[in-house]
Amino acid sequence: MEVPEGLRAALRPYQKAGLDWLQFLAAHGFGGVLADDMGLGKTAQTLAHIAMEEKEGRLTDPCLVVVPTSLVPNWVAEAQRFTPHLRVVVLHGLDRHEKLGDLDRAHIVVTTYGVVGRDVEVLKRRDWHMLILDEAQAIKNPDSKATRAVCALNARNRLCLSGTPVENNLDELWSLCSIAVPPLLGDRNGFRRQFRTPIEKHGDADRQRVLARRVRPFLLRRTKEEVASELPAKTEILEAVEPHAAQRDLYETIRLAMDKRVREEVARKGLARSHITLLDALLKLRQVCCDPRLVKLESARRRVAKGAASAKLERLLEMLPALLEDGRRILLFSQFTSMLDLIEPELERLAIPFVALTGETRDRETPVRRFQAGEVPLFLISLKAGGTGLNLTAADTVIHYDPWWNPAVEAQATDRAHRIGQDKPVFVYKLVTTGTVEERLVQLQERKRQLGEAVFDEAGGAERLLTAEDVDFLLAPIDA
């Protein structure tokens, strides 16, 4: 297939092959399971597929994309990035029923598994061109409310996206195929009798080969090792995280107080001489984004006591097991050593082995040696202590927990893994809290590449780069 002109993405050869495969299945009325490794662009391939359907005039009804709640912002952002000509409607939140009238004009409707379970009676009243289930392992239990709900929807084509199509047993593969290609593996009891029991309990190689042949046309999986030659040396992935309601309320409370303080300081001293006050305001807002427990204010302590939790920490704890299951070796950076202190007990709870390096680490060689030797798969590093001077080529994944204002400093940290001697593609994940100062700094850096460095360098001439409009932009309300 020729890549549609409206697609703003240069598909790599394996992604182009994925598009060809999706189009081939759709042309013959089949669904499928796209099971590429995490980070290989399942979303981009799917959006290219939708764009092709739109270009050819087949998209007469919207595509329904069902995702875990944490991935709603990612899908919206990726659609805006790669297919800005396609109209996207989000059905999520208390106001979702007010948007039902917009569905007729939409190309893509993004919702969550929870919403589908609650609103299935509404959603099954209409036809969908395509039903797309991201992180489809979420419906591996065929008896769950979400699974029953998605099976009840009317869609001409069904596509499951999952980097882990089989996590624990073959029943999970049956669940995905029963949605994407219902007749393929028969009923559940028959599948267990013909395949699962002989393969899992008796090691029947013949049955395994039969199952592989039957599934092969409908399941496409590429690992990063297989397509490494087609990948750039470094792939950056923006992980958008939507804050919890209590976290949003705390952010807005602190933002209002800091906005008033900054404006009073600017009015009294001018923008150029208000640098320290602005930095303090940005610091506190960043801390709320990372974890409300970092903010040393009484108002924050009260909110934490009432249950204000970190959506970003929750997303990190979702990502890490999946990445480690894929065999990734991970560097996790944060500017805040206190944030690393909060992450450590969560890792211990999940039984994830790790080493750490902060400014207080006296013996730097031991954690580096243990990580490089493969004794542990995860390395927690404070940006100041480990952003430079380390060779950690055993890593193939870098996570920036909190975005750093200065892109060069962030790049230096990434280069602990992405450097001479690295023989694997490096995947860089940047966790950004949506609607907040974190997201605005990322956007602002696209317009003013020098801003990040100037904001944190007191001698860097921030007054020449930060305008009053920039300050308004950075300190804007979370919904602005």
Side-chain angles (χ1 to χ4, degrees):
M1 306 297 300
E2 292 295 326
V3 177
E5 294 179 2
L7 185 70
R8 295 188 179 179
L11 297 183
R12 302 184 182 100
Y14 76 90
Q15 293 173 324
K16 175 62 169 53
L19 172 61
D20 295 342
W21 175 76
L22 290 169
Q23 284 286 296
F24 177 81
L25 287 181
H28 292 277
F30 290 116
V33 180
L34 180 57
D36 286 343
D37 251 353
M38 186 177 184
L40 293 185
K42 292 188 288 292
T43 303
Q45 293 172 73
T46 304
L47 287 169
H49 179 41
I50 296 173
M52 182 67 75
E53 293 294 283
E54 191 272 338
K55 175 191 173 187
E56 297 297 325
R58 294 188 288 266
L59 199 61
T60 54
D61 292 301
C63 298
L64 182 65
V65 180
V66 187
V67 304
T69 301
S70 60
L71 294 185
V72 170
N74 285 55
W75 265 91
V76 174
E78 294 290 88
Q80 291 173 344
R81 177 184 174 192
F82 295 131
T83 55
H85 63 295
L86 299 182
R87 292 184 295 274
V88 179
V89 172
V90 176
L91 287 185
H92 177 53
L94 297 178
D95 64 342
R96 63 184 183 275
H97 294 135
E98 300 173 10
K99 301 178 182 178
L100 293 176
D102 299 332
L103 300 191
D104 289 333
R105 299 185 302 104
H107 296 110
I108 301 172
V109 177
V110 180
T111 190
T112 68
Y113 288 102
V115 168
V116 171
R118 290 189 292 271
D119 295 355
V120 61
E121 293 302 321
V122 174
L123 296 174
K124 73 179 185 180
R125 289 176 195 157
R126 67 172 305 130
D127 293 328
W128 303 96
H129 179 71
M130 195 186 312
L131 174 63
I132 299 161
L133 306 179
D134 196 8
E135 299 294 342
Q137 65 271 16
I139 47 91
K140 62 187 178 184
N141 178 4
D143 299 320
S144 72
K145 184 177 180 180
T147 304
R148 292 197 301 269
V150 298
C151 289
L153 300 179
N154 301 310
R156 288 192 287 275
N157 194 260
R158 295 166 183 260
L159 175 63
C160 292
L161 310 179
S162 175
T164 52
V166 179
E167 292 181 297
N168 301 304
N169 56 64
L170 289 175
D171 262 4
E172 296 166 358
L173 176 64
W174 178 88
S175 293
L176 297 186
C177 291
S178 70
I179 293 172
V181 200
L184 182 65
L185 298 180
D187 66 81
R188 190 180 185 187
N189 290 332
F191 174 77
R192 286 179 170 177
R193 186 173 59 253
Q194 292 185 56
F195 295 108
R196 183 181 174 187
T197 298
I199 293 171
E200 292 185 2
K201 292 189 175 181
H202 307 304
D204 191 325
D206 290 335
R207 285 282 86 195
Q208 186 167 347
R209 282 191 290 270
V210 171
L211 177 61
R213 282 200 304 270
R214 184 172 295 187
V215 170
R216 186 178 298 121
F218 306 98
L219 187 147
L220 181 63
R221 175 165 178 78
R222 282 79 58 90
T223 66
K224 62 180 184 294
E225 289 79 16
E226 291 175 301
V227 297
S229 61
E230 309 294 348
L231 288 173
K234 179 170 65 175
T235 301
E236 294 189 353
I237 302 161
L238 192 68
E239 278 285 330
V241 180
E242 188 172 350
H244 293 314
Q247 193 176 5
R248 289 165 62 94
D249 291 342
L250 175 60
Y251 182 95
E252 185 63 11
T253 299
I254 294 177
R255 186 199 66 79
L256 286 170
M258 293 295 103
D259 183 63
K260 182 174 183 292
R261 182 181 167 196
V262 168
R263 291 184 187 283
E264 290 175 348
E265 188 79 353
V266 171
R268 189 167 61 250
K269 295 182 179 179
L271 180 59
R273 299 179 63 188
S274 304
H275 188 63
I276 300 299
T277 303
L278 177 59
L279 280 180
D280 183 57
L282 297 178
L283 173 65
K284 286 182 170 60
L285 293 177
R286 290 184 69 215
Q287 288 175 328
V288 179
C289 296
C290 289
D291 194 300
R293 291 173 292 178
L294 296 181
V295 184
K296 306 306 180 185
L297 294 175
E298 186 57 33
S299 60
R301 293 191 181 96
R302 288 196 298 268
R303 296 294 178 94
V304 170
K306 293 180 180 179
S310 169
K312 187 185 286 192
L313 180 57
E314 292 177 6
R315 177 60 185 143
L316 175 71
L317 297 178
E318 290 174 354
M319 291 173 61
L320 287 176
L323 290 168
L324 294 173
E325 181 70 22
D326 282 345
R328 302 288 186 89
R329 308 290 310 289
I330 305 170
L331 307 180
L332 173 59
F333 287 97
S334 175
Q335 180 203 351
F336 305 107
T337 56
S338 50
M339 188 65 237
L340 298 180
D341 292 338
L342 295 178
I343 293 172
E344 288 188 6
E346 298 295 332
L347 299 177
E348 292 169 352
R349 178 178 62 82
L350 294 174
I352 296 176
F354 65 93
V355 289
L357 176 63
T358 69
E360 297 178 0
T361 305
R362 294 188 177 183
D363 178 8
R364 293 167 60 97
E365 294 182 3
T366 297
V368 171
R369 176 185 54 76
R370 293 189 63 203
F371 181 81
Q372 286 291 96
E375 295 179 22
V376 292
L378 176 62
F379 200 159
L380 274 57
I381 309 175
S382 69
L383 200 61
K384 187 174 182 179
T388 58
L390 295 177
N391 186 336
L392 298 171
T393 51
D396 58 7
T397 301
V398 177
I399 299 176
H400 292 286
Y401 186 86
D402 39 279
W404 184 253
W405 309 131
N406 187 339
V409 174
E410 193 174 86
Q412 285 179 340
T414 299
D415 286 346
R416 298 315 95 215
H418 179 232
R419 60 193 296 116
I420 294 174
Q422 177 60 267
D423 57 2
K424 302 174 292 295
V426 175
F427 294 81
V428 183
Y429 295 85
K430 300 181 181 181
L431 276 62
V432 176
T433 309
T434 59
T436 68
V437 67
E438 288 188 341
E439 187 175 61
R440 293 188 176 99
L441 253 295
V442 171
Q443 295 169 0
L444 203 58
Q445 285 176 353
E446 293 300 315
R447 307 204 314 259
K448 299 184 178 184
R449 297 298 299 168
Q450 296 175 310
L451 173 64
E453 182 174 2
V455 164
F456 272 88
D457 180 1
E458 294 183 28
E463 69 279 3
R464 297 193 300 272
L465 292 168
L466 272 176
T467 65
E469 290 76 19
D470 294 332
V471 174
D472 289 341
F473 179 63
L474 291 170
L475 299 180
I478 198 167
D479 290 323

